[in-house]
Amino acid sequence: MRRYRYVNGEKIELSPPQEIRIVQYTPDSGFYLFQISQEWGASEEGYFETEELAMEQVYKEFQVTWDEWEAIA
């Protein structure tokens, strides 16, 4: 899947993110999805009611499987 960002009306194709994070902030019950790249830094890509829904979205976009995730405290 190709991804684009528009800057000053110009369509720019984005390279795949270097890192993807799913974060839950206390006391929020939902999960935030962030994509991190060298060219754009961190960008919030969505809010999900469950961690599983966020992981499913990442699988759809980047084919990251459940066993490829690493938990970070």
Side-chain angles (χ1 to χ4, degrees), residues 12-55:
I12 299 171
E13 185 172 354
L14 300 175
S15 57
Q18 294 173 305
E19 191 173 328
I20 300 170
R21 293 186 184 182
I22 297 173
V23 178
Q24 183 180 37
Y25 296 105
T26 319
D28 195 338
S29 62
F31 294 83
Y32 294 85
L33 174 61
F34 292 94
Q35 295 180 14
I36 301 163
S37 72
Q38 193 168 23
E39 62 188 319
W40 296 103
S43 63
E44 182 187 328
E45 298 297 325
Y47 179 83
F48 299 85
E49 291 184 19
T50 67
E51 184 178 32
E52 290 78 17
L53 288 172
M55 292 171 83

